[in-house]
Amino acid sequence: MSKHEREVIGVDDRVSVGRAIPLGIQHMMSMFGSTVLVPVLTGLDPNVAIMCSGIGTICYLLVTGNKIPSYLGSSFAFISPILAVGATQGLDAAMSGVIVAGMVFLAVAGIIKLVGTGWLDRLLPPVLVASVMVVIGVGLSATAVDMAFMQDLPDGTSAFYGVGAVVAAVTLVAAVVFSSLGGIFGTIPVLLAIIVGYLVSIPLGLVDFGPVADAAWIGLPNVSAPRFDMGAIALVAPVAVVVVIEHIGHLLAVGEIVGKDYREMLPRSLAGDGISTMISGFLGGPPTTTYAENIGVMSVTRVYSTQIFWYAGGFALVIGGFCPKLAALIQSIPGPVMGGVCLLLFGLIASNGLRMLVSNKVDFDVNRNLMIASVVIIVGVGMETSGISIPIGDYTLPGMATSALAGIVLNLILPGARQDS
């Protein structure tokens, strides 16, 4: 192995504590911005959300037998129903819907356990899975670009932010350079890039240390009990069905990146997500789901060890639950810094989708493959980047789920064999 070739750390491999700590911090910081944004938008406590993401990740690792490297953070799919219930019945009632959403995950996991996962191969051929991976990565591009280049104005609009764009560019370049190096630099490029971007941001006035100074070093989490309400449950819980589709897409993406087939483990993966979501609901946190940011981190670092996710979950549990000052410090990371990092992370997820098309020798001279990929990518990316969801009663179907369902339908009705190699 040349000095610039990145070391691969497999799912079952272990590293020293000295290496595991920065690798764990890297995963925690990658999910931090998105996990905090959900409670900020819904009125829930951000620190409780961070703590619940740590608890949920640890539960997920236990349920999946320490075999699937994934981090569970706040789910964006539930923002609208939680806001709706919170405005009328209160957030404590919304938490009852979150708990039952977790039960929906468990119910689906049980059904799949009974019927098996053979249907996945029939419904989700490589051309469809790869296209969904492209949608996951490129669909998030608008979020990354917005964080990197745009600034919110007092009148509610946004405009191009030159200083932020410079910081994002510096952070992105740092991530690319570090990821190209061997040794420790190649395994923690995201963490090092965030540090570089943060240091550059300080003299430019992008960092607000006020909340950090005001926060206490030690504190207890502001947990809250749920209040069960059937109306809230009816509005919030069914969203879990949509998240199941996203969960399957993420699981297959993780499998492609780490080189393992996780189809047979789908019931346990869904169960882990369900238990995590239920715990979060009982503590006053948002629903959880597997995170694309952390999938991107694995892709750029080639570190797949589940050991690292134990560290990441443990750090989130301690920092979110018991150390407000450290939580405030991480929250002080400017948006352009995280935007610069996410430009790389989300791009790598999409690139892995393209790699899957090549590795599975998907033939685009075959019309059905061309049609499936075209529809899935354009519908999914178009809806995700435009922020468009299809309203279905009190719910909405986001772009990734819509494109995946469209691809499944096309795969079933288009003539020709369903094998892509």
Side-chain angles (χ1 to χ4, degrees):
M1 184 169 63
S2 67
K3 67 177 182 178
H4 293 301
E5 187 177 346
R6 289 178 296 163
E7 175 189 8
V8 176
I9 300 177
V11 174
D12 301 317
D13 292 343
R14 297 292 176 263
V15 299
S16 66
V17 173
R19 294 186 68 185
I21 289 175
L23 288 168
I25 292 173
Q26 178 173 245
H27 271 291
M28 181 192 67
M29 294 181 74
S30 298
M31 67 82 195
F32 211 92
S34 297
T35 291
V36 167
L37 182 59
V38 174
V40 167
L41 294 175
T42 56
L44 298 170
D45 189 287
N47 284 356
V48 171
I50 297 163
M51 179 186 69
C52 289
S53 77
I55 296 173
T57 299
I58 291 171
C59 288
Y60 180 86
L61 292 170
L62 289 171
V63 173
T64 57
N66 212 35
K67 288 181 169 54
I68 305 176
S70 286
Y71 193 95
L72 271 60
S74 305
S75 172
F76 281 74
F78 291 86
I79 290 177
S80 294
I82 289 178
L83 280 173
V85 173
T88 55
Q89 293 114 300
L91 288 173
D92 55 348
M95 291 302 97
S96 66
V98 172
I99 293 169
V100 178
M103 294 179 180
V104 172
F105 271 101
L106 293 176
V108 174
I111 293 171
I112 294 175
K113 181 69 174 176
L114 289 175
V115 302
T117 56
W119 54 275
L120 278 175
D121 296 321
R122 295 190 295 273
L123 292 184
L124 301 171
V127 63
L128 176 52
V129 175
S131 299
V132 169
M133 286 177 66
V134 173
V135 170
I136 293 172
V138 180
L140 290 167
S141 62
T143 301
V145 169
D146 185 67
M147 288 191 296
F149 302 135
M150 304 300 287
Q151 179 185 31
D152 293 330
L153 301 177
D155 61 0
T157 61
S158 59
F160 181 79
Y161 187 34
V163 175
V166 170
V167 171
V170 170
T171 307
L172 174 60
V173 169
V176 171
V177 170
F178 286 129
S179 66
S180 301
L181 301 177
I184 186 66
F185 296 106
T187 57
I188 55 171
V190 175
L191 176 59
L192 294 174
I194 290 173
I195 293 173
V196 169
Y198 192 84
L199 293 176
V200 171
S201 300
I202 293 174
L204 295 175
L206 271 64
V207 180
D208 181 10
F209 287 108
V212 181
D214 295 337
W217 277 105
I218 299 176
L220 294 175
N222 185 29
V223 298
S224 57
R227 175 173 58 84
F228 282 84
D229 181 283
M230 289 307 300
I233 291 171
L235 193 59
V236 176
V239 179
V241 176
V242 175
V243 182
V244 165
I245 299 173
E246 295 179 343
H247 184 107
I248 294 173
H250 283 172
L251 183 66
L252 296 176
V254 170
E256 175 64 21
I257 288 171
V258 306
K260 290 181 178 288
D261 187 352
Y262 285 127
R263 284 174 170 82
E264 292 298 323
M265 292 199 67
L266 177 59
R268 292 177 71 170
S269 183
L270 286 170
D273 202 343
I275 292 172
S276 170
T277 295
M278 290 178 66
I279 292 173
S280 189
F282 276 113
L283 296 177
T288 60
T289 187
T290 48
Y291 253 34
E293 287 87 339
N294 300 89
I295 297 173
V297 169
M298 285 192 290
S299 180
V300 71
T301 63
R302 300 177 73 178
V303 178
Y304 314 135
S305 173
T306 52
Q307 174 199 12
I308 307 306
F309 289 88
W310 281 93
Y311 278 79
F315 289 143
L317 167 59
V318 173
I319 291 174
F322 307 102
C323 191
K325 189 172 287 291
L326 285 178
L329 178 64
I330 298 176
Q331 289 184 55
S332 72
I333 298 173
V337 173
M338 296 309 300
V341 167
C342 287
L343 286 171
L344 176 62
L345 298 184
F346 297 155
L348 282 166
I349 297 172
S351 297
N352 275 288
L354 298 177
R355 187 183 69 177
M356 185 178 182
L357 292 173
V358 175
S359 62
N360 283 276
K361 300 178 181 178
V362 175
D363 186 0
F364 279 107
D365 286 331
V366 176
N367 187 66
R368 71 187 324 274
N369 291 338
L370 194 62
M371 293 300 102
I372 290 171
S374 300
V375 171
V376 170
I377 291 173
I378 294 303
V379 170
V381 171
M383 289 181 64
E384 290 286 347
T385 55
S386 302
I388 296 173
S389 297
I390 298 177
I392 303 176
D394 294 325
Y395 311 101
T396 58
L397 197 64
M400 200 203 94
T402 303
S403 62
L405 290 174
I408 289 172
V409 171
L410 287 175
N411 179 54
L412 293 174
I413 65 174
L414 287 176
R418 290 174 191 155
Q419 284 76 31
D420 295 287
S421 57

